[in-house]
Amino acid sequence: DQQVKQNSPSLSVQEGRISILNCDYTNSMFDYFLWYKKYPAEGPTFLISISSIKDKNEDGRFTVFLNKSAKHLSLHIVPSQPGDSAVYFCAASETGANSKLTFGKGITLSVRP
Amino acid sequence: DGGITQSPKYLFRKEGQNVTLSCEQNLNHDAMYWYRQDPGQGLRLIYYSQIVNDFQKGDIAEGYSVSREKKESFPLTVTSAQKNPTAFYLCASSIARGDSPLHFGNGTRLTVT
């Protein structure tokens, strides 16, 4: 049973436009959420996180929104750049339980010049 | 420059042989993790260690073994009991605090034929 779902396997956007990557979760105990970015043949790098006490967290071009009632979060990238082309993983855990970090399958983002 | 080093980047083995993947970190992190990534799949936790000389099984520990004799090192052995060992293996580390992000190495791609 997948507890973190990234239902769209891929997304293509024009450079300069907004990229919206979605993630749904089923475990109501999750209260800490992260996004990671991964290039081929490299390890994931941490992008941004949000705890359940917030509904928005912003870092430069990246903003994560959390809708707890819908068990849904999204990553917005504005403006999108070709260097943003990568696989994006959503991950979730219960606070204090890094060992239980659960990842989604990832979304491949392609930003067209 | 602090980071996580995984070696080698590519590894080839014959079926029936045990193989050990190296992971070293100089970030002074207490916790270390091993994940496996398969095509189109999220990252799945194999083993984790929150302190030297202690480690716990993750979601898919069967056919794997680990040791944590030093804070900096967390080698993973893929044994002949692992049914599908060909995969991309990622090592990660974090500070002990539960809401800290994981830092990943660049992975080892293991191919068993």
Side-chain angles (χ1 to χ4, degrees):
Chain A
D1 178 35
Q2 241 191 311
Q3 297 186 67
V4 178
K5 301 178 184 180
Q6 296 179 261
N7 292 321
S8 302
S10 62
L11 176 68
S12 181
V13 300
Q14 192 75 38
E15 180 179 5
R17 305 294 291 269
I18 184 171
S19 295
I20 300 176
L21 289 72
N22 294 308
C23 178
D24 297 292
Y25 62 96
T26 58
N27 188 340
S28 57
M29 297 300 290
F30 287 153
D31 56 7
Y32 180 58
F33 306 89
L34 310 90
W35 285 93
Y36 283 85
K37 174 181 179 180
K38 184 182 180 302
Y39 294 117
E42 292 185 9
T45 54
F46 169 71
L47 261 182
I48 193 168
S49 64
I50 188 168
S51 74
S52 59
I53 61 172
K54 294 184 172 183
D55 54 18
K56 176 183 174 181
N57 189 27
E58 190 172 353
D59 184 1
R61 296 186 298 114
F62 302 92
T63 303
V64 56
F65 295 91
L66 175 63
N67 182 333
K68 291 185 288 294
S69 61
K71 294 192 179 68
H72 176 83
L73 63 155
S74 60
L75 175 68
H76 293 210
I77 306 173
V78 184
S80 301
Q81 299 173 353
D84 296 329
S85 297
V87 177
Y88 289 78
F89 289 100
C90 172
S93 74
E94 301 173 40
T95 300
N98 246 352
S99 55
K100 302 296 186 185
L101 199 58
T102 301
F103 285 83
K105 291 187 176 182
I107 301 172
T108 300
L109 173 65
S110 300
V111 180
R112 306 185 303 274
Chain B
D1 225 5
I4 300 177
T5 301
Q6 290 187 244
S7 60
K9 192 168 181 64
Y10 300 96
L11 192 52
F12 298 88
R13 279 294 182 271
K14 294 288 187 186
E15 195 173 320
Q17 292 179 334
N18 291 355
V19 58
T20 298
L21 282 60
S22 168
C23 177
E24 304 278 332
Q25 55 100 357
N26 60 3
L27 298 166
N28 199 33
H29 285 168
D30 288 308
M32 296 187 74
Y33 313 81
W34 275 104
Y35 284 87
R36 167 181 173 143
Q37 186 190 12
D38 295 284
Q41 300 293 318
L43 281 63
R44 293 182 291 167
L45 182 63
I46 304 172
Y47 266 99
Y48 64 98
S49 167
Q50 293 176 313
I51 196 168
V52 173
N53 291 322
D54 187 46
F55 48 83
Q56 283 77 41
K57 293 182 179 180
D59 299 320
I60 55 165
E62 186 176 348
Y64 299 98
S65 66
V66 294
S67 63
R68 186 88 187 276
E69 297 176 2
K70 298 187 300 182
K71 186 176 184 177
E72 302 79 18
S73 179
F74 192 40
L76 173 74
T77 297
V78 185
T79 75
S80 56
Q82 167 49 233
K83 296 281 187 272
N84 297 295
T86 295
F88 188 53
Y89 290 89
L90 286 158
C91 179
S93 71
S94 72
I95 62 176
R97 199 181 76 228
D99 60 351
S100 61
L102 271 60
H103 296 257
F104 284 88
N106 279 332
T108 292
R109 180 162 298 282
L110 172 65
T111 302
V112 177
T113 57

